[in-house]
């Protein structure tokens, strides 16, 4: 297979961008290098000799322009000439732009630019003429947008609106946050089928204002993209990317969905922010381009069975908010254009960067870059002077009694997500400026895990739990770090707040506080499939509470719940424990709430927290519970394979060093038992696996101990004194013995 | 971009820091590494070697294994006999030192090293004529020549971790640079310490660079370069620097500092700036970096080894590639870097702009649309005041140095970060009061463990209770060297011990020194003779400093360590090169006496145990023969009893071994105390008197003349 060799080129930097904020305009039909048509905002770039050099002989034909909208409210379109960005138009700053989409007449070229800012949708022609300024009068700002012919599909956090020719057509209220919206192509099927990516791990397929059906996907979907840019042969194939880094293809036929393939996130890369299809490998098949929030850009080709295969990857330092394939700089050279959170527009191009056409030309390229550097240096010098005077002014105001010091908020792009694979949380922080240091403070015991790709130096400070500090850690970042990723392990039942202070490297120095809730059942995840056949323990609460109150309590306990109280008289949510695979069902309505879980500890935690919360509000709750005696052996059976696997792994890893020593001593290890030979052969793999799950065994022991204590707590007995005996039983682990111990000791 | 010129998979584990290269036959370089199971392997791709003696040939024909039969602690190779071309291999274990001639497959000499061997160096030190093997052990440095004669010995403050030879003072002779566990880098001109630098962690590696420069690596992931006493640069990583090496990789004539990291990274950094000029990654931790002419084509190649036996060789860049080793496009990097700077400046400008805008919006009645508290808006004249003072403690709190931080108005301190090295568990200390305890002042107790001046870099987050954004106030305060001593005027009991010495300085200068090095509320002033009393906050008694106008100084204190610190600091401040003194430390001498008695006991116990072990092994031999005989004759009963006996004996042996181990541990700790005592005695003097005390003490111990030892410690001479 041909190796894909792409080199990185940076074009320019705009303001901060959100997801889907950059698009490549389709190739123009006629030569559009008519320079006089360009407004002059960026004309200073043209002042240098090289950019002025006559360029008329070589037309701009065959390259695409880039359209980008940023948080400063600026929409700009630019092309690349001789490696330099040349602006086509640039609007003045206004309200923060959340989305940028291209549209055009049905069947025609999509070269009209639509942007959403607040509740307004604006339309620009490719030359910068504004033809649309549509105030939707929606109460919440538009978060996601899609354009199809005369149809506009706009989504707020929970509301979906469909406009045809700016006339309100359809409306839908989603049960959870909407992350993205697209519609299946109209030209392949004659009706409009919008698809919403909702945060509760489902894609909702609509018909008019009605829900057609829901499809569960393996993680909270964050981005949608039509397969092959046209939805495939049937026009009903949709690619999705999730916040936990998975990508999948779904076929959304008229009546039911079908999963085609799914790319798991084995390497634990970041969440998927952007997707595109483009034939970058030049083999005639569209490749899949993936941009992730940890800065990873990936190119997947497809094998004979149409399964994606990784062909290329490139690590950038910031999240990739948009990605698209096209031809921008030089005709004939395909490139992958990416836009990062901090607004860098960069390209991974197939064009070799060190041209070997001739020595003369190469010098010219260098000279151009050199002049560019000079230009930048001059600009910086100029700015530095300006900054110096401003800084002085600022310091002078410090002498006055009345003056205030107000430093504007800087934007932090942060995420706090549960990883299913190792039941830990990933906290990622991204700032436009370089980060100087980050202080972490937690009022509950949590563990910080090492993240390989993070180069910051961590330092733990001495803590005093009496002062409410269970963790005080500082991360001192290396120069030019704009993104930091941390991994945190929580313990279920221990809840509180993680506070993070981020200090960027910019004067006047400020830091921003971010807070993340560590919920009592922090390791639970929403699911849409519930196994009815397990032995469930039931916790029933009755009292004089409203549904909204109960919803707020439940969302206090469990992650991934919508902030809004769900519509209707009652609500049901299902959860699965990422660590033990036990399930939880919450059903509640006004005056009554029922929780069912096969894990007695889950029920116990819920009972404790809810009682406490109700007491805070001075509300009387009647609590009844029904403990199913079969649930404990059932949970132990669920734990059993994990525990056994971990024990075996630990045993094997322990043996590796000794066996290796034998291998050094003896030339021939054939006398060893096959089991030991296998361990030797798999040594590296075993070690890697062991390293991947630090303290896994201890966590499992902790869960079993909790289970034991909770079981007897419901019987009104305190068995804490017997825990050492339990640990002894665990040391010589045997499932029947353990179950016996749970049954017999009382 | 530099690509390896060769890659080898040796399929042998390589112990970290135990990689060397030797021309054992005088011609061919051989990679030599310590590996598991007490072995050393030699990779010799050039010629086939013989077998026998210590040598056994491994599965791979190019590799020969040497059995050391003890766990190896350090390996080095070098030329020891100035008349011969070939290198010798030096292998250190925790108890022994083996100098081995690989070419002839014979031991040159074998020494007991009760102080252990943590680091080995081969070379010529100062004016000492012949090259020697210098080994660094527990607080001691020992040098042997090619015949195994003990030609060099001195002590140092703590366990030696790393050694290097550099011409530190440009006098044409090599000085010995020693890194030890007490975070100090010491420079020895032969046996005299000519310079000391305090770092922030155990110095795990040292290497000489060009001229008087040398690189160092610490256990906390720091690497850096010193030029004499000035640190040119340092960087810190969360990974550990396993090994460092100087090598000119980019062909500019100046060696770069190469670092092998525990996460498998190898990078080369410019010796002047620390800028990365090259990097590569192994899948496993790096074990060692050496250089040698492995291709036998006249150019030295850089050889990097990982712990799982992967070896890569790199040739230095030549011709056009000079200076451009990085994969990335330099121009693009520069442009990106400049753009980032431009962006930062623009953002700063925007900050000031918004600030002014906010100021205009501000009205006496309120902030208009801005939520003052949430935004973290504070009065522009807010200042942060800090003060350092000595807190003699209360029942609840131990005595400490107190850092008080306060704002000048009603703004609150949300959190304080103190970056300082060597006084906290990590590099930072954080104070984060609960929401209910927020106030505009914070008192932070500090317990400096050592008598060194420390810079405290303080960052305070200032705002209001409900703020989500805070102003960061940054400032630096220096903690004086003897901040853990509080001035007292009370009548305190005079310490039993004292040091007396004479300096030719005016009292005023000494008073000045006291004001600078102790934490005093008001400057101390005196006329005539000087007498100041301090109480140690570390509960090590009091310190009385008396100085007559004649220049005679009496320092009364029971803590020999601190007394040494005071004298060394004073000498440094007043530029005193040589200083004799008389010392009287009755308690310490008593203690030393006890320890010396103990050492004798441990030594005799060791001999007894060794004899016992030899007896047992003879018995085992006969038992095995007897039991096997019985088996062959079909006498199952006797065989069983034979093996039962063997089993018991084996158990006894293991127990005996454990006792021996414990005995050895105790012995080591005693010997370390003795070495430290000598070091402490030395530190009560300066310059040549210091060296003399150390050497005389050593001679006294060698001759087992304990009375002389005490006399030397007391009076400074035999």
């Amino acid at each position: 297979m041909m190796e894909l060799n792409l080199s990185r080129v940076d074009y320019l930097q705009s303001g901060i961008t959100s997801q889907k904020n950059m698009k490549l305009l389709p190739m123009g039909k006629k030569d559009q290098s008519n320079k006089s048509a360009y407004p002059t905002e960026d004309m200073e770039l043209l002042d240098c000799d090289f950019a002025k050099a006559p360029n008329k002989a070589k037309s701009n034909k065959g390259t695409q322009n880039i359209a980008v909208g940023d948080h400063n409210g600026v929409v700009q379109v630019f092309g690349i000439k001789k490696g330099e960005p040349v602006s086509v138009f640039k609007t003045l700053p206004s309200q923060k732009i959340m989305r940028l989409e291209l549209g055009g007449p049905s069947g025609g070229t999509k070269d009209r630019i639509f942007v959403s800012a607040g509740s307004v949708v604006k339309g620009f022609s490719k030359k910068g003429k504004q033809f649309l300024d549509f105030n939707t009068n929606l109460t919440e700002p538009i978060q996601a947008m899609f354009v199809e012919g005369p149809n506009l599909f706009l989504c707020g956090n929970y509301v979906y609106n469909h406009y045809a020719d700016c006339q309100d057509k359809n409306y839908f209220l989603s049960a959870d946050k909407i992350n993205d919206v697209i519609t299946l192509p109209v030209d392949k099927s004659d009706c409009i089928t919008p698809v919403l990516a909702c945060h509760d791990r489902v894609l909702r397929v609509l018909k008019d204002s009605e829900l057609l059906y829901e499809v569960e996907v393996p993680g909270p979907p964050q981005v949608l993209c039509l397969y092959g840019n046209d939805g495939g042969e049937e026009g009903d194939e949709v690619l999705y990317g999730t916040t936990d880094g998975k990508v999948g293809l779904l076929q959304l036929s008229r009546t039911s969905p079908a999963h085609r393939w799914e790319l798991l996130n084995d390497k634990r890369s970041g969440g998927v922010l952007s997707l595109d299809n483009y034939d970058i490998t030049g083999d005639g098949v569209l490749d899949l381009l993936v941009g992730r929030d940890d800065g990873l850009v990936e190119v997947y080709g497809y094998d004979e069975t149409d399964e994606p295969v990784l062909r290329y990857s490139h690590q950038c330092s910031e999240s990739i908010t948009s990605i698209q394939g096209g031809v921008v700089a030089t005709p004939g050279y395909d490139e992958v254009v990416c836009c990062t959170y901090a607004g860098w527009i960069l390209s991974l191009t197939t064009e070799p960067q060190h041209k070997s056409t001739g020595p003369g030309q190469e010098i010219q390229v260098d000279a151009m870059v050199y002049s560019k550097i000079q230009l930048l240096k001059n600009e910086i010098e100029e700015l530095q002077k300006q900054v110096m005077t401003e800084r002085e002014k600022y310091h002078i105001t410090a002498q006055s009694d009345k003056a205030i010091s107000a430093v504007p908020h800087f934007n932090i792009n942060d995420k706090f997500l549960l990883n299913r694979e190792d039941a830990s949380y990933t906290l990622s922080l991204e700032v436009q400026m370089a980060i100087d240091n980050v202080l972490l403070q937690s009022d509950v015991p949590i563990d910080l895990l090492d993240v390989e790709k993070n180069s910051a130096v961590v330092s733990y400070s001495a803590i005093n739990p009496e002062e409410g500090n269970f963790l005080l850690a500082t991360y001192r970042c290396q120069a030019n770090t704009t993104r930091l990723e941390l991994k945190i392990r929580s313990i279920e039942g221990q809840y509180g707040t993680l506070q993070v202070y981020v200090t960027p490297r910019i004067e006047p120095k400020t830091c921003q506080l971010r807070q993340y809730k560590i919920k009592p059942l922090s390791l639970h995840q929403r699911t849409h499939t519930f196994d009815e056949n397990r032995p469930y323990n039931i916790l029933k609460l009755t009292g004089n509470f409203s549904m909204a109150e109960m919803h707020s309590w439940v969302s206090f306990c469990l992650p991934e719940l919508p902030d809004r109280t769900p519509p209707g008289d009652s609500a049901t949510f299902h959860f699965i424990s990422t660590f033990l695979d036990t399930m939880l069902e919450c059903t509640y309505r006004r005056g009554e709430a029922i929780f069912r879980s096969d894990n007695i500890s889950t029920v116990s935690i819920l009972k404790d927290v809810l009682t406490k919360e109700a007491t805070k509000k001075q509300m009387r709750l009647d609590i009844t519970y029904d403990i199913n005696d079969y649930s404990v052996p059932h949970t132990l059976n669920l734990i059993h394979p994990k525990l056994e696997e971990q024990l075996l792994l630990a045993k094997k890893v322990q043996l590796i060093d000794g066996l290796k020593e034998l291998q050094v001593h003896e030339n021939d290890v054939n006398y060893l038992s096959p089991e030991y030979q296998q361990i030797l052969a798999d040594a590296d793999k075993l070690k890697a696996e062991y390293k991947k799950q630090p303290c896994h065994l201890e966590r499992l022991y902790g869960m079993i101990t909790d289970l034991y204590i909770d079981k007897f707590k419901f019987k009104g007995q305190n068995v804490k004194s017997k825990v050492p005996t339990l640990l002894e039983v665990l040391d010589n682990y045997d499932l029947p013995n353990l179950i016996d111990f749970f049954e017999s000791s009382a | 971009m530099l690509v390896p010129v060769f890659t080898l998979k040796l399929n042998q584990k390589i112990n970290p820091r135990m990689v060397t290269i030797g021309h054992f036959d005088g011609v061919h370089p051989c990679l030599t590494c310590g590996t598991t199971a007490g072995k050393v392997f030699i990779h010799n791709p050039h010629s086939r070697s013989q077998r026998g003696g210590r040598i056994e040939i491994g599965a791979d024909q190019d590799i020969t294994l040497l059995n050391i039969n003890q766990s190896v602690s350090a390996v080095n190779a070098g030329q020891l006999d100035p008349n011969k071309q070939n290198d010798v291999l030096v292998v250190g274990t925790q108890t022994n030192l083996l100098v081995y001639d690989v070419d002839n497959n014979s031991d040159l000499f074998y020494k007991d090293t009760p102080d252990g061997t943590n680091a080995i160096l081969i070379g010529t030190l100062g004016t000492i004529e012949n090259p020697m093997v210098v080994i660094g052990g527990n607080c001691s440095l020992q040098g042997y020549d090619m015949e195994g004669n003990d030609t060099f010995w001195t002590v140092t403050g703590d366990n030696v971790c790393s050694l290097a030879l550099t011409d530190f003072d440009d006098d044409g002779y090599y000085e010995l640079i020693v890194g030890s566990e007490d975070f100090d880098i010491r420079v020895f001109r032969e046996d005299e310490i000519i310079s000391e630098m305090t770092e922030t962690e155990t110095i795990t590696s040292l290497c000489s660079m060009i001229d008087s420069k040398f690189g160092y690596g610490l256990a906390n992931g720091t690497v850096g370069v010193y030029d004499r006493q000035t640190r040119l640069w340092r960087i810190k990583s969360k990974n550990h620097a396993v090994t460092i090496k100087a090598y000119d990789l980019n062909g500019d004539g100046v060696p770069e500092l190469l670092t092998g990291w525990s996460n498998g990274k190898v990078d080369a950094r410019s010796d002047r700036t620390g800028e990365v000029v090259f990097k590569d990654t192994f899948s496993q931790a790096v074990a060692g970096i050496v250089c040698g002419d492995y291709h036998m084509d006249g150019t030295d190649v850089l050889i990097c080894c990982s712990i799982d036996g992967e070896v890569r060789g790199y040739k230095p860049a030549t011709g056009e590639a000079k200076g451009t080793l990085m994969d990335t496009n330099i121009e693009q990097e520069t442009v990106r870097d400049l753009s980032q700077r431009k962006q930062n400046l623009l953002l700063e400008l925007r900050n000031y702009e918004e600030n002014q805008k906010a100021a205009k919006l501000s009205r006496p009645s309120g902030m208009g649309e801005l939520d003052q508290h949430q935004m973290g808006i504070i009065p522009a004249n807010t200042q942060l005041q800090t003060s350092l003072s000595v807190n003699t403690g209360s029942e609840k709190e131990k005595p400490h140095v107190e850092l008080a931080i306060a704002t000048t108005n009603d703004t609150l301190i949300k959190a304080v970060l103190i970056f300082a090295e060597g006084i906290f568990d990590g590099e930072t200390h954080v104070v984060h009061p609960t929401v209910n305890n927020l106030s505009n002042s914070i008192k932070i107790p500090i317990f400096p463990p050592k008598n060194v001046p420390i810079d405290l870099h303080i960052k305070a987050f200032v705002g209001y209770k409900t703020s989500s954004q805070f102003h960061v106030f940054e400032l630096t305060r220096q903690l004086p060297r003897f901040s853990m001593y509080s001035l007292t005027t009370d009548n305190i009991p005079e310490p039993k011990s004292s040091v007396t010495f004479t300096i030719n300085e005016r009292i005023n200068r000494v008073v000045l020194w006291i004001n600078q090095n102790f934490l005093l509320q008001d400057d101390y002033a005196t006329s005539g003779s000087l007498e100041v009393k301090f109480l140690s906050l570390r509960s090590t008694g009091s310190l009385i400093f008396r100085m007559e106008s004649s220049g005679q100084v009496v320092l009364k204190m029971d803590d020999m360590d601190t007394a040494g610190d005071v004298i060394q600091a004073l000498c440094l401040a007043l530029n005193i090169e040589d200083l004799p003194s008389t010392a009287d430390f009755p308690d310490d001498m008593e203690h030393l006496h006890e320890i010396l008695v103990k050492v004798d006991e441990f030594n005799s116990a060791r001999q007894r145990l060794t004899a016992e072990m030899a007896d047992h092994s003879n018995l085992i031999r006969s038992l095995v023969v007897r039991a096997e005989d019985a088996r062959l004759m079909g006498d199952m009963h006797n065989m069983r009893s034979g093996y039962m006996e063997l089993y018991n004996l084996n158990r006894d042996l293991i127990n005996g071994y454990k006792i021996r181990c414990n005995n050895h541990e105790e012995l080591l700790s005693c010997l370390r105390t003795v070495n430290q005592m000598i070091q402490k005695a030395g530190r009560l003097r300066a310059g040549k008197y210091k060296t003399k005390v150390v050497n005389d003490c050593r001679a006294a111990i060698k001759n087992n003349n304990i009375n002389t030892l005490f006399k030397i410690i007391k009076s400074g001479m035999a």
Side-chain angles (χ1 to χ4, degrees), chain A residues 699-725:
Chain A
R699 282 177 100 186
L700 282 171
Y701 280 1
M703 296 273 177
I704 294 173
T705 316
D706 285 349
L707 198 67
Y708 182 67
I709 293 173
D710 289 331
K711 174 184 168 165
F712 289 97
K713 206 162 91 185
F714 278 108
K715 290 190 174 167
Q717 293 168 336
N718 188 341
V719 285
K720 278 201 176 130
S721 57
K722 283 198 183 159
V723 169
T725 334

Side-chain angles (χ1 to χ4, degrees), chain A residues 474-692:
Chain A
T474 49
Y475 278 85
R476 194 161 53 82
C477 295
Q478 312 278 356
N480 293 336
T481 308
T482 53
R483 190 174 187 282
L484 190 68
E485 202 172 293
L486 312 168
K487 218 165 190 189
I488 289 150
R489 210 166 46 200
S490 59
I491 304 161
E492 286 211 325
Q494 310 242 34
Y495 57 100
T497 319
L498 170 69
Q499 302 199 85
V500 178
Y501 298 82
V502 184
T503 316
R505 231 170 249 191
I506 189 163
E507 294 292 322
K509 262 220 171 132
T510 54
C511 73
Q512 214 175 95
L513 169 63
R514 289 282 156 136
Q515 295 181 322
Y516 306 94
K517 289 265 173 274
I518 309 276
K519 304 206 171 185
L521 293 172
S522 51
L523 301 181
H524 277 72
Q525 203 177 41
R526 277 285 286 283
T527 177
H528 294 268
T529 45
F530 189 71
D531 181 5
E532 283 290 344
N533 299 323
R534 296 186 179 189
Y536 284 107
N537 305 295
I538 301 166
L539 175 73
K540 191 167 162 189
L541 305 170
T542 46
N544 189 19
F545 50 80
S546 68
M547 185 163 150
E549 264 171 319
M550 189 36 94
H551 180 74
S552 78
W553 289 338
V554 173
S555 56
F556 178 80
C557 295
L558 285 151
E560 296 191 21
L561 277 174
D563 303 333
R564 237 167 27 94
T565 312
D569 294 337
S570 73
T572 303
F573 294 105
H574 296 129
F575 294 89
I576 185 161
S577 159
T578 52
F579 199 69
L580 295 181
D581 293 329
T582 56
M583 309 206 87
L584 168 69
E585 183 192 57
C586 314
T587 314
Y588 49 91
R589 57 166 186 262
R590 187 189 160 77
E592 188 190 61
I594 297 170
F595 300 94
R596 297 200 297 155
S597 172
D598 47 346
N599 186 346
I600 218 166
S601 296
T602 312
V603 172
S604 163
I605 292 169
L606 272 172
K607 177 179 154 257
D608 291 351
V609 177
L610 292 175
T611 336
K612 217 168 163 185
E613 285 302 301
T615 325
K616 259 191 213 164
K617 290 208 166 171
Q618 297 185 320
M619 188 175 287
R620 238 183 69 87
L621 280 188
D622 286 321
I623 301 175
T624 52
Y625 42 81
D626 177 14
I627 299 304
N628 188 329
D629 280 337
Y630 296 110
S631 76
V632 173
H634 162 78
T635 313
L636 288 176
N637 266 314
L638 277 182
I639 299 176
H640 175 68
K642 297 178 206 288
L643 192 60
E644 203 172 41
E645 190 195 319
Q646 285 298 320
L647 285 169
L648 200 66
L649 184 65
K651 200 176 119 195
K652 281 181 177 171
V653 169
Q654 229 172 6
L655 282 171
I656 288 177
D657 274 344
L659 288 173
K660 284 247 163 155
E661 199 170 319
L662 276 177
Q663 200 179 18
V664 174
H665 269 288
E666 317 290 334
N667 294 330
D668 187 16
V669 286
N670 282 332
Y671 62 89
L672 287 176
S673 70
E675 186 197 344
Y676 285 171
Q677 289 192 27
Q678 195 56 41
I679 294 177
L680 265 178
D682 297 342
D684 292 338
K685 220 168 74 197
L686 290 171
K687 274 191 170 166
E689 202 168 320
Y690 192 66
K691 214 172 124 188
K692 226 160 73 181

Side-chain angles (χ1 to χ4, degrees), chain A residues 265-539:
Chain A
N265 188 12
D266 294 331
K267 280 182 259 163
R268 298 192 188 161
S269 313
V272 179
L273 272 179
S274 44
L275 291 169
D276 191 36
N277 305 283
Y278 190 79
D279 180 19
I280 189 82
T281 47
D283 56 0
V285 182
L286 291 179
D287 303 307
L288 174 63
L289 313 180
V290 181
R292 296 180 186 265
D293 63 8
D294 60 349
L296 191 66
V297 179
E298 290 171 318
V299 176
Y300 290 89
Y302 292 97
D303 65 7
E304 297 80 15
T305 53
D306 277 348
E307 295 272 331
V309 196
L310 184 66
R311 296 289 300 275
Y312 173 82
S313 66
H314 175 85
Q315 182 75 50
C316 301
S317 54
E318 300 161 0
S319 354
I320 309 295
T321 49
S322 314
I323 192 167
Q324 203 178 344
V327 178
V328 173
T330 318
Y333 290 107
D334 291 323
E335 49 195 290
V336 178
V337 182
C338 311
C339 178
T340 71
Y341 169 74
W344 275 107
I345 316 261
L346 58 99
S347 148
L348 299 168
T349 173
T350 49
E351 184 181 0
Q353 279 310 291
H354 282 290
K355 290 187 189 118
S356 50
T357 41
Q361 202 157 346
E362 190 154 9
I363 288 166
Q364 204 179 10
V365 172
D366 280 352
M368 257 173 70
V369 175
Y370 177 74
S371 75
K372 195 171 167 184
I373 290 172
Q374 273 307 319
L375 203 72
L376 266 172
K377 275 189 180 159
N378 294 343
E379 265 180 87
I380 285 172
E381 217 162 279
E382 201 59 33
L383 276 170
Q384 232 146 10
K385 273 183 211 154
Q386 231 174 314
V387 165
M388 284 313 281
T389 52
E390 288 294 326
R391 215 180 266 180
E392 228 153 83
K393 264 194 222 161
Y394 177 76
H395 285 296
I396 288 167
T397 54
Q399 259 112 60
S400 127
D401 293 341
K402 284 181 201 128
I404 52 158
S405 171
V407 177
H409 266 263
F410 53 90
N411 289 302
I412 300 181
N413 182 13
D414 57 343
K415 281 200 188 95
F416 189 61
L417 291 175
L418 177 64
N419 307 322
R420 209 200 150 104
E421 289 75 20
D422 57 356
S424 69
Y425 276 87
T426 299
L427 171 65
S428 66
L429 301 162
E430 189 169 10
V431 188
Q432 201 182 5
M433 301 74 94
I435 303 174
D436 185 61
N437 66 70
V438 172
L439 164 64
L440 262 73
Q441 184 268 344
S442 165
D443 58 0
V444 278
I446 52 171
D447 292 324
L448 277 182
L449 307 179
D450 187 51
V451 180
E452 203 128 306
K453 55 191 163 194
N454 150 9
S455 65
V457 179
V458 62
S459 155
Y460 295 92
S461 173
I463 50 161
N464 183 0
E466 281 167 28
E467 288 169 10
N469 296 320
F470 281 89
L471 172 81
L472 281 173
T474 49
Y475 278 85
R476 194 161 53 82
C477 295
Q478 312 278 356
N480 293 336
T481 308
T482 53
R483 190 174 187 282
L484 190 68
E485 202 172 293
L486 312 168
K487 218 165 190 189
I488 289 150
R489 210 166 46 200
S490 59
I491 304 161
E492 286 211 325
Q494 310 242 34
Y495 57 100
T497 319
L498 170 69
Q499 302 199 85
V500 178
Y501 298 82
V502 184
T503 316
R505 231 170 249 191
I506 189 163
E507 294 292 322
K509 262 220 171 132
T510 54
C511 73
Q512 214 175 95
L513 169 63
R514 289 282 156 136
Q515 295 181 322
Y516 306 94
K517 289 265 173 274
I518 309 276
K519 304 206 171 185
L521 293 172
S522 51
L523 301 181
H524 277 72
Q525 203 177 41
R526 277 285 286 283
T527 177
H528 294 268
T529 45
F530 189 71
D531 181 5
E532 283 290 344
N533 299 323
R534 296 186 179 189
Y536 284 107
N537 305 295
I538 301 166
L539 175 73

Side-chain angles (χ1 to χ4, degrees), chain A residues 8-10 13 344 366 369 373 376 379-380 383 386-387 390-391 393-394 397-398 400-401 403-410 432-433 436-437 439 441 450-452 454 456-457 459 461 467 469 472 474 476 478 480 499 501 503 506-513 660-661 664-665, chain B residues 12-13 36-37 39 56 59 236-238 331-332 334-349 351-352 354-356 358-359 362 367 374-381 414-415 417 419 425-430 432 434 459 461 467-472 474:
Chain A
R8 176 177 168 167
V9 182
D10 291 356
Q13 190 175 19
W344 275 107
D366 280 352
V369 175
I373 290 172
L376 266 172
E379 265 180 87
I380 285 172
L383 276 170
Q386 231 174 314
V387 165
E390 288 294 326
R391 215 180 266 180
K393 264 194 222 161
Y394 177 76
T397 54
S400 127
D401 293 341
I404 52 158
S405 171
V407 177
H409 266 263
F410 53 90
Q432 201 182 5
M433 301 74 94
D436 185 61
N437 66 70
L439 164 64
Q441 184 268 344
D450 187 51
V451 180
E452 203 128 306
N454 150 9
V457 179
S459 155
S461 173
E467 288 169 10
N469 296 320
L472 281 173
T474 49
R476 194 161 53 82
Q478 312 278 356
N480 293 336
Q499 302 199 85
Y501 298 82
T503 316
I506 189 163
E507 294 292 322
K509 262 220 171 132
T510 54
C511 73
Q512 214 175 95
L513 169 63
K660 284 247 163 155
E661 199 170 319
V664 174
H665 269 288
Chain B
Q12 299 279 348
K13 287 266 166 207
T36 45
K39 295 188 186 204
E56 90 184 40
K236 190 173 174 186
S237 160
K238 64 169 188 172
E331 290 92 6
Q332 285 290 345
T334 328
V335 170
R336 204 171 305 153
D337 201 50
L338 288 172
S339 306
Q340 183 70 45
R341 269 171 59 194
K342 180 180 153 192
Q343 187 76 15
N344 266 354
L345 289 168
L346 283 172
L347 284 168
E348 191 177 338
L349 273 182
N351 277 353
Y352 295 125
E354 294 282 324
N355 183 30
Q356 282 183 346
S362 149
M367 291 304 299
Q374 230 256 311
M375 278 273 288
I377 295 175
I378 59 169
N381 61 352
K414 179 76 177 175
L417 262 74
F419 284 81
D425 299 343
E427 57 176 20
T428 45
H429 180 69
V430 183
H432 188 278
T434 51
K459 286 179 205 282
F461 298 169
S467 302
S468 66
Q469 184 152 316
F470 300 90
H471 280 72
V472 180
E474 291 180 300

